[in-house]
Amino acid sequence: MTDVTFRVFRGAGTQGGFEEYTVQLSEGMVVLDAVLDIQASQAGDLAVRWNCKAGKCGSCSAEVNGKPRLMCMTRMNTLPLDQPVTIEPMRSFPLIKDLVTDVKRNFEINKRVRPFKPKPRQADGTHRMMQYDIDRIQEFHKCIECFLCQDVCHVMRDHQKPDFIGPRFLIRLAALVMHPLDTENRLTELKDAFGIGYCNITKCCTEVCPENIKITDNAIIPLKERVAGNFYDPLAWLWRKARGKRPDTRPGTE
Amino acid sequence: MNHETIEHDVIIIGAGGAGLRAAIEASGKGASVGVVCKSLLGKAHTAMAEGGMAAALTTADPRDNWEMHFRDTIRGGKMLNNWRMVKIFTQEAPDRVNELEEWGALFDRTDDGRILQRNFGGHQYARLAHVGDRTGLEMLRTLQNHGIHQGIEVYMECTVVDLLMDGGKAAGAFAYWRDSGTFVQFRAKAVVLATGGLGKCYTITSNSWECTGDGQALAYRAGAELIDMEFVQFHPTGMVWPPSVRGLLVTEGVRGEGGVLRDKDGKRFMFDYIPEMFAGEYAETEEEAKRWRPGVPEGPDARRPPDLLTRDVVARAIRAEVRAGRGSPHGGAYLDIASQASEAQIKKKLPGMYHQFMQLASLDITKEYMEVGPTSHYVMGGVRVDPETCSTSVPGLFAAGEVAGGLHGANRLGGNSLTDLMVFGRRAGAGAAEYAGALSAMPGVNPDQVRDIERLALAPFEESGTENPYEVMQDLQKMMEHDSGIVRAKEELADGLGKLRTLKERSVKVRVEGNRQYNPGWHYALDLHNLIMVSEAITLSALHRDESRGGHTREDFPESSPELEKVNTVVRNRDGEMAWEHVTREPLPGDLQELLSHPHLEEPN
Ligand SMILES: Cc1cc2nc3c(=O)[nH]c(=O)nc-3n(C[C@H](O)[C@H](O)[C@H](O)COP(=O)(O)OP(=O)(O)OC[C@H]3O[C@@H](n4cnc5c(N)ncnc54)[C@H](O)[C@@H]3O)c2cc1C
Ligand code: SF4
Ligand code: SF4
Ligand code: FES
């Protein structure tokens, strides 16, 4: 089997550089396999986050050959192997060590989102929701919090706009706003406190999402429309809530 | 030495489903609560659960009720379950599902807008509330987003090395921050263990690096009892190819949605493996099995296919087929959903599986067969707890979720774990808060104990070490796979215990490179102590159960023993040695006993 060279970023805080390692390729190998192999036999203290090794937990985000990806879902046979494979930590988060970055900021943002507040249950004790009314929200709930979208969003990278909550949390807001049971009006804070206006729909977030969530088309743009509508016509929001049914949450055809 | 000290009424170790549910409950009862976890919040193993959570909601099949769920759980557990736990569990299960919905979870819906339920192995009726094949993620995210507003403090990427003890009482936990490598002590009146499983004892596993049996080992060292440790569940359908994904789970939901198992010639072999206990309840011919449809209540002429038998049975069947030379090219069996459901159905109900095979094995499950084989998946045994409060035999120490034992007996039914986390997570949180509320003062910390823990934790940095922690771990996993795995025998188990002594000696001689900051080698070095301890508990318990039952299969004792049916194995630390005993279980009261012989296909009324 062939040998492959990896250039892996090693360092802590603000210091560091690339180190080269050679790993023997095996069938079906993903980038994370190579990193764990290096860890087990060449660099026992190489820091990396991972859990599921199946694209389900969003722990192993990094930049592979300059592209933000999940290492456990990047097959070696999709990369050019005649040149070294470069692995670096996500760029927009502060470095802790090697491939591990400090992503606490995202957890802080999440706390700013007010909790879900459902309407009362029906007389028979159930909540009734139609599958077609929740398909879209289930798409948003697929988010594995890999934070790759937060990593690539230029508004997040530009630290002049600390209010902006970023694409991951805009889809969380979208999931709440479109939730058939939620009774909170969240549109005012989307505009004021969460800075949705800063997003200029570059779609970089959608491009990197490993869950293929259409972050911009299905979440941010509809939210922007609602924010605009609400701003001009607060009654429209009440009306939608009172009807309790929102045909515009049905899956689109993009 | 002075360490950073953090105080709470209740400290919860683990942020999976059980830990977060416990935290929400304890905080709701007015306790100050801290949650400690090894990974980031939201990454616990619970996020990987796929198929669903079991509860007799009766939205998919009106014939269901808690009694039927009780019956299925005990029969699936091959009678070894603690019936008090099962009763609480099956009765409270529907409330716990509805509660998640109340907190924002969105389960798949029935046509009239209620929660949809799916079929799963060993469950008589469609019983699993689910979200496609990512139910665990929905559960964990819901708890996380609800929990952050309940005044709970979360300490992420912080690994507990040992419990702090005040005399015989729990007094907190000693841990280190992974990002800096520095120590921190959590002082608390009550401690809840919610640390999950121990799949990393084995080479082939569906579990992540986190599942190293920490909670079971912490409890054991603190003097608590472990029960049923011989019962490890090997899930019948792990991926077998390519090597990079060996062991990765293929959800039972594939069979719940109609998938069938085939040998190398395409023959459906499960008809040949229906155990006596379940005779008459499963389809006996392929023609009959074809009449059964997922989502449609079965009739007497269309019993469920034997591919949906309990996991222990299916895992052994696949192993037997492979041994007989009828396996797939890479030593598994074929799992076929392609011929059983349309491409659209597969992509809607099993999107994660579609994606997983496409991306990691370049295989299109809507067109081709998957190759699957057994993978170590879940431990039925664990810390012995009181069914009402989840307290252990150590005052102030509680346990819930996979780390606890008793509910599942000798074999867990799919979907019963996620519900377990909610039912007993809640009870453990309440139990701990109540216990803490009754204590007037914070328990003391014993400086000698702290010094000892610290010395042991730092030993791997000493120059004198010679062993590589990764190698010791691999050797342990190989030993467990071979000597204490899916099929066992006396000689190998005894041999395994001997090898464990050697591994123990090696584990104290490990040497790690680098410094204390975010050092996975150091982490593995400390995990080794826990892995070896739980491996010993599994092997010792297995050696002394001279029968085959549920997850425990003995080549030298292939039958179940009516005598051993009455007892559970309990393991504890006696003067530094691991001691075992068989304890007689409280028998089922008459009315519950009757449920077990309940006719299985009664008409709805
Ligand atoms: C792939 C897969 C699919 C599954 N699918 C299903 C399903 O469909 N239905 C079902 O019912 N069950 C399923 N299961 C089983 C179920 O997911 C687990 O049993 C369950 O999630 C365990 O939850 P828990 O809360 O007990 O622990 P976990 O979710 O494993 O969480 C353990 C927590 O403890 C922390 N921890 C551990 N040790 C320490 C320490 N020393 N210091 C600090 N923190 C520590 C970890 O960081 C983590 O936060 C599945 C399991 C797997 C592996
Ligand atoms: S579309 Fe908006 S949120 Fe997404 S990356 Fe661009 S600016 Fe950021
Ligand atoms: S939206 Fe997609 S890219 Fe962003 S955190 Fe979630 S899964 Fe990752
Ligand atoms: S390890 Fe879970 S997403 Fe890669």
Side-chain angles (χ1 to χ4, degrees), chain A residues 33 44 46 49-51 53 56-57 75 97 110 113 116 121 127-129 131 138 141 144-145, chain B residues 43 50 98 102 108-109 112-113 138 145 149 157 208-209 244 356 359-360 470 513 517 520-521:
Chain A
D33 288 318
L46 169 59
R49 278 196 187 106
W50 67 281
N51 282 72
K53 221 172 153 295
K56 293 184 195 326
C57 73
R75 286 278 289 272
K97 184 180 156 195
N110 198 30
V113 179
F116 172 70
R121 287 181 173 266
H127 281 308
R128 301 282 173 140
M129 288 179 267
Q131 186 63 43
Q138 287 186 327
H141 282 201
I144 54 176
E145 296 203 330
Chain B
K43 309 296 181 197
E50 297 164 353
N98 287 328
E102 201 66 24
D108 287 356
R109 314 309 292 182
D112 64 355
E138 186 78 7
N145 289 335
H149 299 289
E157 299 202 311
S208 85
W209 67 269
S244 141
Q356 180 173 315
Q359 207 145 341
L360 297 174
Y470 295 91
E513 53 188 306
Q517 187 188 18

Side-chain angles (χ1 to χ4, degrees), chain B residues 13-18 36-39 44-46 48-52 158-160 194-196 206-207 210 214 249 377-378 401-402 412 415-418 421:
Chain B
I13 309 175
V36 190
C37 54
K38 294 201 272 195
S39 288
H45 220 290
T46 301
M48 284 143 243
E50 297 164 353
C158 185
T159 298
V160 171
T195 51
S206 64
N207 290 188
E210 285 203 301
D214 296 8
L249 192 75
H377 182 60
Y378 185 88
E402 190 170 342
R412 171 180 72 92
N416 270 0
S417 169
L418 289 184
L421 310 182

